[in-house]
């Protein structure tokens, strides 16, 4: 789970909860080492920074990016981001993102993973969607 300032805490909590219920190991990866405040003010302390998580990208089966369009710009300035994406892609990881414009997906370096891209729905359908993703990943992981 990628976590940055103003990311969607409801989405993050739902995915982390459902993934852990399915027995999957989940790490919250922060875009910076300090405590990060979500869109509604909830503060989450990441397990690792993106730089610290880089060696784990080779084993990643999924990367969840719980942010709206306005939060994606933070990723562009992180030197480890392109390498993390590339390593996760080599492992055929899925990338779960919110409904972003295609240009933003490409700008994030996710343009080459369209076949691995999973777009999550709005909040009212999110819990069941997260359960389905967790079940499908538990078969892989």
């Amino acid at each position: 789970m990628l976590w940055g300032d103003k990311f969607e805490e409801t989405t993050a909590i739902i995915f982390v909860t459902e993934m852990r219920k399915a027995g999957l190991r989940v790490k919250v990866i922060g875009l910076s080492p300090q405590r990060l405040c979500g869109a509604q003010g909830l503060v989450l302390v990441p397990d690792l920074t993106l730089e610290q998580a880089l060696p784990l990208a080779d084993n990643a089966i999924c990367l969840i990016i719980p942010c709206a369009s306005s939060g994606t710009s933070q990723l562009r300035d992180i030197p480890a981001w392109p390498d993390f994406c590339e390593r996760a892609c080599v492992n055929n990881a899925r990338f779960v993102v919110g409904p972003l414009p295609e240009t933003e997906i490409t700008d994030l370096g996710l343009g080459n993973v369209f076949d691995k891209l999973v777009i999550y729905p709005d909040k009212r359908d999110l819990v069941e969607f997260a359960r389905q993703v967790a079940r499908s990943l538990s078969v892989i992981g």
Side-chain angles (χ1 to χ4, degrees), residues 33-135:
Q34 74 262 13
R35 297 164 51 153
L36 297 162
C37 189
Q40 304 305 315
L42 180 68
V43 175
L44 293 180
V45 179
D47 298 309
L48 306 161
T49 64
L50 190 59
E51 290 79 12
Q52 292 168 328
L54 197 53
L56 302 175
D58 297 327
N59 297 315
I61 60 172
C62 183
L63 180 64
I64 300 163
I65 307 172
C67 68
S69 183
S70 61
T72 59
S73 62
Q74 297 173 60
L75 292 169
R76 296 182 196 123
D77 298 328
I78 299 175
W81 175 243
D83 196 17
F84 189 94
C85 286
E86 185 177 318
R87 289 180 184 199
C89 283
V90 168
N91 196 45
N92 290 315
R94 293 184 193 158
F95 290 76
V96 179
V97 299
L100 299 171
E102 189 174 320
T103 55
E104 282 197 41
I105 292 170
T106 303
D107 287 347
L108 288 176
L110 301 180
N112 58 340
V113 297
F114 278 120
D115 60 325
K116 297 172 186 78
L117 207 56
V118 179
I119 308 297
Y120 62 78
D122 64 21
K123 301 284 187 282
R124 70 175 180 272
D125 299 321
L126 193 55
V127 173
E128 184 54 36
F129 179 82
R131 283 184 187 140
Q132 291 171 4
V133 171
R135 280 193 295 264

